[in-house]
Amino acid sequence: MNMMENSKTKNIITAIALSLVLASCKAPMATVIKDEVKENIPQNFNQAEQQDANANSGTTPWRQFFTDPNLVSLIETALKNNQELLITLQEIEIARSGVIAKKGKLSPTVSVGIGAGVKKAGRYTSEGAGDATTEIEPGREMPDPLGNFEGGLMANWEIDIWKKLRTEKESAVAHYLSTVEGKNFVLSNLIEEVADNYYELLALDNQLDIIQQYIKLQQRALEISKIQKEAAATTELAVKKFEAELAKSKASEYTIRQQITEKENQINALLGRYPQSIVRTRENFMSTIPPTVYTGIPSQLLANRPDIKQAELELKASKLDVEAARKEFYPSLEISATLGLEAFKPSYLVKMPESIAYNLVGELAGPLINKSAIKANFQTADAKQVQALYEYDKTVLNAYLDVANLMSKIKNIDQYYQLKSQETKALDQSIDIANQLFRNSRADYLEVLLNQRDALDAKMELIEAKQKQLSTVVDIYKSLGGGWK
């Protein structure tokens, strides 16, 4: 009768344990997300034109895209010394260490240890009474107090029955690869910044030349006005107006010189070095012809742009994080084992096999009652997954808009440059005419001043247009995914 009751009790305990384990296996489902932005990406950047998929400037290595040797030298220095790039490289090392750490969890943890202790049990306890009546050897009682000396190997291993640890490792790998793409994006941005600042510096150089030429022109006009005043052909007012214009031009010269200094130091900062002169050739700036840019098709942005690939890998990592967090609801199986020597006296440790001790335990356990922390971790991972999708969609959409806007800008800035060139030529001719009329007293000083100011403004704007031409080509090259290869 007792045997039957014991059997029923064991069956009940087993059933309860099994039901508890099964109850712990219930896990919520992750949010199902759909990437509509990627699926609906347009076929072309300009719907009125068809782009050739085989012609894409974004795949051109930067050393081939930039032909100015001074600019190439600056970029090479930046790639070696730029602090932001060096910081990004350390982020890659951190992510690589994360992969190694996750991979290590798949293997058993083995350690070695030694220990010593002493224990005295009360005489009127089951342990004390048992020790008092036990002999270590015939005629030799158990020592009191009882020492304990041990040493050996200890191992602990979580069996990845649900592939949770493998999922965590895959997530770490995806995050590591995203940091590599992040480095490539920093490279692309760095090359763009160096090139843009270099062209802005050349534009300032040319504007300085123009203002110096304008100063010489004003000085001649001032001399003529003084001569005409002495001949009573003009008044003191004209002389003062030309003097004021000359002072204004000289003040502008110092403003441009300061801008040149700041721009040089901005480039030096990108190159990770203290201020020094930037080697450059300013003479050919206005005759530089921007390279032709080919956009390819929008879907190529997914493979060419590092920021899109980085966002895609982060999305993949976030999905794996959700999967790993969901598997936290499942029971875990851990095996622990020890193997070594143990005795109450050091001299007995060498007596084998009597001193050999080992232990092997397997434990299957799962969350049962307090799951709030696990649920919170899962909900956090699930929300980050959705957030990563939105980040990816935003990156893809912004990349498409960048290219579309810059392609339109290239066309418009080219037209703007052509018209400014025509305006500059016409105003140069008007200056000569106005000066000749002024010398012959057939035009007053205001006409001369206005013509000179208009010509100066037009030349300054023409230089800015050339700089925008060159910088826009650099910007679209970067937007197409160029610069990091």
Side-chain angles (χ1 to χ4, degrees):
M1 187 69 179
N2 290 336
M3 291 181 62
M4 293 180 62
E5 290 179 354
N6 290 338
S7 178
K8 289 181 180 179
T9 302
K10 289 180 180 180
N11 291 336
I12 292 173
I13 294 175
T14 301
I16 292 174
L18 183 59
S19 63
L20 293 178
V21 170
L22 292 175
S24 69
C25 290
K26 293 182 179 179
M29 299 298 296
T31 302
V32 179
I33 55 180
K34 186 178 181 181
D35 191 359
E36 295 184 357
V37 172
K38 180 179 178 181
E39 293 177 357
N40 298 326
I41 191 168
Q43 296 297 317
N44 296 289
F45 290 107
N46 187 340
Q47 300 303 321
E49 300 178 6
Q50 294 293 323
Q51 279 91 29
D52 184 2
N54 296 320
N56 191 323
S57 298
T59 60
T60 304
W62 68 266
R63 292 179 185 275
Q64 298 178 17
F65 188 81
F66 298 104
T67 58
D68 187 332
N70 294 321
L71 176 56
V72 170
S73 177
L74 292 174
I75 292 174
E76 288 176 343
T77 303
L79 296 181
K80 294 177 183 177
N81 301 331
N82 182 261
Q83 282 83 7
E84 184 178 356
L85 178 59
L86 295 175
I87 291 171
T88 305
L89 292 176
Q90 295 308 307
E91 292 178 357
I92 294 176
E93 293 300 319
I94 294 171
R96 182 185 287 117
S97 299
V99 174
I100 297 174
K102 295 296 183 182
K103 185 178 180 181
K105 288 186 176 182
L106 291 169
S107 303
T109 301
V110 181
S111 58
V112 61
I114 59 175
V118 64
K119 180 180 180 181
K120 183 181 186 312
R123 176 64 179 82
Y124 299 109
T125 62
S126 59
E127 183 180 356
D131 290 346
T133 57
T134 301
E135 293 182 345
I136 297 296
E137 294 177 349
R140 186 171 182 178
E141 296 180 351
M142 182 76 74
D144 189 23
L146 182 66
N148 185 60
F149 300 89
E150 59 183 356
L153 300 174
M154 292 158 282
N156 189 61
W157 188 18
E158 180 179 353
I159 307 299
D160 196 19
I161 54 178
W162 310 110
K163 295 185 178 181
K164 177 178 74 72
L165 300 179
R166 288 181 177 84
T167 302
E168 291 178 350
K169 189 199 78 170
E170 291 175 5
S171 173
V173 170
H175 177 66
Y176 162 71
L177 294 175
S178 76
T179 61
V180 174
E181 295 299 338
K183 181 264 296 182
N184 292 337
F185 189 58
V186 171
L187 280 175
S188 184
N189 281 335
L190 178 60
I191 291 174
E192 178 197 33
E193 283 191 77
V194 173
D196 283 346
N197 281 281
Y198 178 75
Y199 291 137
E200 289 174 11
L201 180 59
L202 291 179
L204 289 171
D205 288 338
N206 281 263
Q207 286 180 337
L208 180 62
D209 291 339
I210 293 297
I211 200 70
Q212 289 173 342
Q213 294 172 15
Y214 185 66
I215 289 173
K216 291 179 181 179
L217 186 65
Q218 288 299 311
Q219 289 173 337
R220 288 196 297 268
L222 177 60
E223 293 172 358
I224 293 172
S225 67
K226 288 180 179 179
I227 293 173
Q228 288 188 336
K229 180 198 169 202
E230 292 177 358
T234 188
T235 64
E236 180 69 16
L237 180 60
V239 174
K240 293 303 179 184
K241 282 289 186 180
F242 281 114
E243 285 180 349
E245 189 69 15
L246 179 60
K248 179 182 177 182
S249 300
K250 288 182 177 180
S252 298
E253 178 184 0
Y254 288 105
T255 299
I256 294 176
R257 288 186 182 277
Q258 177 61 27
Q259 291 174 342
I260 289 175
T261 299
E262 293 177 359
K263 187 58 64 177
E264 282 189 313
N265 289 339
Q266 189 172 353
I267 294 175
N268 283 316
L270 291 172
L271 271 56
R273 67 188 188 187
Y274 287 105
Q276 57 184 273
S277 179
I278 301 298
V279 178
R280 59 197 186 271
T281 303
R282 71 181 72 179
E283 289 78 14
N284 300 326
F285 176 71
M286 295 304 294
S287 60
T288 302
I289 300 176
T292 303
V293 177
Y294 303 97
T295 62
I297 57 177
S299 60
Q300 291 175 325
L301 293 174
L302 304 178
N304 292 341
R305 280 192 51 141
D307 58 334
I308 293 180
K309 293 195 286 186
Q310 181 184 19
E312 184 177 18
L313 287 165
E314 286 295 341
L315 176 59
K316 178 181 178 181
S318 66
K319 291 180 178 179
L320 291 169
D321 287 339
V322 174
E323 185 179 344
R326 187 171 184 271
K327 290 175 180 177
E328 290 288 347
F329 289 91
Y330 301 159
S332 59
L333 174 61
E334 292 189 6
I335 296 177
S336 57
T338 58
L339 175 64
L341 304 175
E342 185 176 17
F344 67 85
K345 190 175 181 181
S347 60
Y348 282 91
L349 289 174
V350 297
K351 291 187 176 182
M352 291 183 284
E354 290 85 354
S355 62
I356 295 177
Y358 59 85
N359 181 40
L360 179 63
V361 177
E363 182 180 13
L364 181 65
L368 180 61
I369 298 176
N370 188 6
K371 296 183 181 180
S372 58
I374 299 176
K375 288 181 179 178
N377 289 336
F378 172 79
Q379 291 169 354
T380 299
D382 192 40
K384 287 183 177 180
Q385 173 197 211
V386 178
Q387 186 182 50
L389 173 65
Y390 294 150
E391 287 288 344
Y392 177 73
D393 287 347
K394 183 179 73 173
T395 304
V396 173
L397 181 60
N398 288 341
Y400 178 88
L401 294 176
D402 283 346
V403 176
N405 289 337
L406 289 169
M407 287 300 297
S408 174
K409 185 177 180 180
I410 283 180
K411 294 179 180 179
N412 291 325
I413 199 68
D414 286 345
Q415 294 297 321
Y416 177 84
Y417 181 81
Q418 297 299 326
L419 293 172
K420 278 295 175 182
S421 296
Q422 296 175 17
E423 179 187 2
T424 302
K425 291 178 182 178
L427 287 172
D428 280 341
Q429 295 172 357
S430 70
I431 287 177
D432 293 336
I433 296 172
N435 286 337
Q436 185 176 358
L437 292 173
F438 181 65
R439 283 193 296 268
N440 296 327
S441 300
R442 296 176 60 186
D444 62 17
Y445 66 91
L446 288 177
E447 292 180 271
V448 175
L449 282 176
L450 290 174
N451 273 281
Q452 289 176 347
R453 287 178 184 175
D454 290 344
L456 175 65
D457 292 341
K459 288 180 180 179
M460 291 293 196
E461 291 171 356
L462 181 64
I463 293 172
E464 290 180 358
K466 173 57 69 174
Q467 178 263 315
K468 289 179 180 178
Q469 259 191 336
L470 297 171
S471 293
T472 302
V473 170
V474 174
D475 294 343
I476 196 171
Y477 172 63
K478 174 252 182 181
S479 296
L480 290 170
W484 58 273
K485 295 182 181 178

